[in-house]
């Protein structure tokens, strides 16, 4: 699904968290939002998810206006900065939660949910972990459960906010590769937020560099490296 952002803006009484943003994420692309703390990455992601209301601007999914759609109607799978698994539920119930919580008429049968959970656990390489509880998992395993949970509802797009934030370097690298593989297997249009330049450059098809609520430049990693268009992009990439 193609995502088009046309002038989306967010102000919180006086502070402009996001200046009018123009961005197109072509269908099937893995895009990184890269920028320092406070640059508006989470704000933009939450506007796309429908968790924030824009002060101005419009959003389109495959050409159809999505600005006023509810979170549910947007059908995005998301993993947020401080993702939380349900501690009292085992892995299988965590992953199947979004399906089991649907109103009866839309809810798949118990067997269908179990089959979907199984295939998602295989996708994130957690076969055999269905019965474990979150506190019996490593940080990286928990993060993969959060991925699987986001994918369970058959989302139209995937939104990830610093999905590897709290993890150590080795686990981050492993999950990075996992994200790329899962993206390629599902073909889902995916936007992930990171302040880690190397992570963005290694994993993403396209990177949008943000600074103080503005999208400074969008391009393929090699284009940004070879042709930084603003002083900020040049110095930010040089510093990383
Ligand atoms: N609910 C809010 N009320 C007021 N200001 C906010 C609110 N949420 C975010 N902001 C402000 O908007 C700006 C952008 O915040 P945002 O969370 O989008 O940044 P970010 O790029 O995700 O940063 P980080 O890397 O630290 O997560 C910041 O200056 C922040 O203080
Ligand atoms: Mg953030």
């Amino acid at each position: 699904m193609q995502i088009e952002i046309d002038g989306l803006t967010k102000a919180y009484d006086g502070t402009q968290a996001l200046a009018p943003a123009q961005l197109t994420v072509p269908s099937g692309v893995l895009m990184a939002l890269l920028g320092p703390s406070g640059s508006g990455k989470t704000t933009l992601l939450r506007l796309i998810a429908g968790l924030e209301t824009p002060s101005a601007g419009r959003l389109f999914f495959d050409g159809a206006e999505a600005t006023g759609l509810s979170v549910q109607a947007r059908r995005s799978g998301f993993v947020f900065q401080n993702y939380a698994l349900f501690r009292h539920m085992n892995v299988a119930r965590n992953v199947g939660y979004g399906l089991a919580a649907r109103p009866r008429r839309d809810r798949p049968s118990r067997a269908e949910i179990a089959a979907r959970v199984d295939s998602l656990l295989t996708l994130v390489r957690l076969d055999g972990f269905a019965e474990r509880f979150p506190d019996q998992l490593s940080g990286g395993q928990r993060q993969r459960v959060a991925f699987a949970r986001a994918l369970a509802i058959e989302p139209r797009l995937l939104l990830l906010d610093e999905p590897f934030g709290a993890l150590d370097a080795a686990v981050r690298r492993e999950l990075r590769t996992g994200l790329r593989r899962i993206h390629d297997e599902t073909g889902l249009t995916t936007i992930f937020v990171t302040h880690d330049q190397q992570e963005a450059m290694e994993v993403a098809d396209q990177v949008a560099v943000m600074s103080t609520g503005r999208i400074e430049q969008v391009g393929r990693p090699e284009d940004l490296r070879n042709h930084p268009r603003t002083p900020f992009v040049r110095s930010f990439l040089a510093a990383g």
Side-chain angles (χ1 to χ4, degrees), residues 144-156:
R144 283 184 278 154
V145 174
F147 264 124
R149 186 172 63 179
L151 291 167
I153 59 158
E154 299 187 308
R156 297 196 289 169

Side-chain angles (χ1 to χ4, degrees), residues 100-124:
R102 281 186 183 166
R104 187 180 292 274
R105 64 190 155 78
D106 302 327
R107 194 187 310 152
S109 72
R110 213 178 280 189
E112 284 163 342
I113 294 177
R116 175 118 188 100
V117 167
D118 267 0
S119 74
L120 286 166
L121 289 181
T122 303
L123 183 70
V124 299

Side-chain angles (χ1 to χ4, degrees), residues 155-177:
R156 297 196 289 169
L157 69 160
L158 198 54
L159 304 173
L160 313 166
D161 193 352
E162 299 269 4
F164 320 130
L167 302 165
D168 69 51
V171 180
R172 287 174 76 102
R173 267 196 302 281
E174 180 193 316
L175 285 169
R176 235 184 253 178
T177 319

Side-chain angles (χ1 to χ4, degrees), residues 5-149:
I5 290 153
D6 180 16
L8 277 189
T9 307
K10 183 70 185 179
Y12 295 103
D13 28 65
T15 20
Q16 184 150 275
L18 185 69
Q22 241 18 80
L23 180 69
T24 300
V25 188
S27 185
V29 157
L30 177 54
M31 179 171 281
L33 302 182
L34 172 68
S37 183
S39 58
K41 307 179 298 293
T42 296
T43 301
L44 180 54
L45 204 71
R46 289 175 60 86
L47 286 167
I48 298 169
L51 294 163
E52 297 286 350
T53 311
S55 310
R58 303 200 295 168
L59 175 69
F60 297 87
F61 289 168
D62 274 343
E65 181 148 14
T67 321
L69 289 182
S70 70
V71 174
Q72 289 75 19
R74 293 182 196 207
R75 291 229 336 263
S76 48
F78 39 77
V79 176
F80 277 107
Q81 216 160 358
N82 297 308
Y83 72 91
L85 298 177
F86 303 117
R87 294 182 54 205
H88 60 289
M89 290 185 193
N90 68 20
V91 165
R93 284 188 57 213
N94 263 287
V95 173
Y97 179 80
L99 297 173
R102 281 186 183 166
R104 187 180 292 274
R105 64 190 155 78
D106 302 327
R107 194 187 310 152
S109 72
R110 213 178 280 189
E112 284 163 342
I113 294 177
R116 175 118 188 100
V117 167
D118 267 0
S119 74
L120 286 166
L121 289 181
T122 303
L123 183 70
V124 299
R125 309 255 159 99
L126 283 176
D127 298 280
F129 285 76
E131 308 295 326
R132 297 259 196 116
F133 283 82
D135 62 4
Q136 299 168 320
L137 300 173
S138 71
Q141 289 165 342
R142 264 181 243 151
Q143 198 53 293
R144 283 184 278 154
V145 174
F147 264 124
R149 186 172 63 179

Side-chain angles (χ1 to χ4, degrees), residues 148-212:
R149 186 172 63 179
L151 291 167
I153 59 158
E154 299 187 308
R156 297 196 289 169
L157 69 160
L158 198 54
L159 304 173
L160 313 166
D161 193 352
E162 299 269 4
F164 320 130
L167 302 165
D168 69 51
V171 180
R172 287 174 76 102
R173 267 196 302 281
E174 180 193 316
L175 285 169
R176 235 184 253 178
T177 319
L179 168 61
R180 186 70 234 185
R181 176 180 59 79
I182 289 167
H183 173 267
D184 294 345
E185 283 180 37
T186 60
L188 278 170
T189 310
T190 302
I191 304 177
F192 84 102
V193 165
T194 181
H195 60 260
D196 181 331
Q197 181 194 145
Q198 203 192 354
E199 194 161 281
M201 295 304 210
E202 272 184 37
V203 181
D205 299 311
Q206 290 193 34
V207 178
V209 181
M210 297 186 68
S211 161
T212 58

